[in-house]
Amino acid sequence: NPVLVFTGDIVQSGGGADDQEYEEFSNLCLKPITDALGIGNDRVVIAPGNHEIDTSAIKSDDFLKESEPPSPDDIKRDLRSKLAGYFHFVEKTGVKSFSRKSPRITSFEIDGVTFTVLNGLIGIYSSKEGGHADFGSAFFTETELAGLLADTSANAVICTHHPLRWFTEKSQLGLQAAF
């Protein structure tokens, strides 16, 4: 059986928990494709992209930056706030992705293959300019990179939204070492 993978930007504007865009994605894209493939949502893996971020939940005095490494609790709080609508969609549909409990790096095994999904959205929208001003600002903490390196199996598919060049140089080197 196939596995369907989306690497983000499944909606345009993130929105809140009642956002219609997620409903439209489910009805107009996800369901027709899974029906055509003959698979359930338990065989769908999604890595969120920057369009899944609810930008109205971002406070400029609360940005997370690599130069001031955030705690795991700060990261969870940040992502739970920014991705409330996305988490609601995941809970409702049962697709494989992050949860409110584990919003950063998660893995799933499907038919003996490990799918590791990276949420590279910490650091994105971390400048007042937004957009491409965030190029090179996404990051993972050293602890996250060490855990990723230890947990990534040889038989894994790594899913993330942004290419490595969107990450800080330090995170790029850490991700390259992990892979």
Side-chain angles (χ1 to χ4, degrees), residues 62-144:
D62 204 21
F63 292 140
L64 300 180
K65 298 186 183 293
E66 185 180 51
S67 59
E68 303 164 15
S71 72
D73 287 340
D74 287 340
I75 290 171
K76 285 181 180 180
R77 178 191 43 75
D78 183 73
L79 290 173
R80 286 176 184 151
S81 173
K82 288 180 184 176
L83 295 171
Y86 179 75
F87 290 134
H88 183 259
F89 160 77
V90 169
E91 292 160 0
K92 184 176 177 180
T93 61
V95 298
K96 303 283 189 188
S97 189
F98 302 99
S99 66
R100 293 176 206 272
K101 183 178 175 184
S102 179
R104 187 69 160 143
I105 299 172
T106 193
S107 294
F108 306 99
E109 189 170 306
I110 303 174
D111 297 339
V113 177
T114 301
F115 288 81
T116 299
V117 186
L118 306 178
N119 186 340
L121 299 178
I122 294 296
I124 299 295
Y125 293 102
S126 60
S127 65
K128 288 184 172 42
E129 295 85 22
H132 287 289
D134 291 326
F135 187 84
S137 64
F139 67 93
F140 286 96
T141 65
E142 288 183 26
T143 303
E144 290 172 324

Side-chain angles (χ1 to χ4, degrees), residues 6-37:
F6 291 94
T7 59
D9 291 353
I10 62 172
V11 297
Q12 180 61 31
S13 61
D18 61 346
D19 192 352
Q20 277 300 109
E21 287 186 72
Y22 289 105
E23 197 68 35
E24 290 173 6
F25 171 76
S26 290
N27 294 332
L28 301 176
C29 184
L30 182 61
K31 184 164 178 17
I33 295 173
T34 56
D35 285 353
L37 293 173

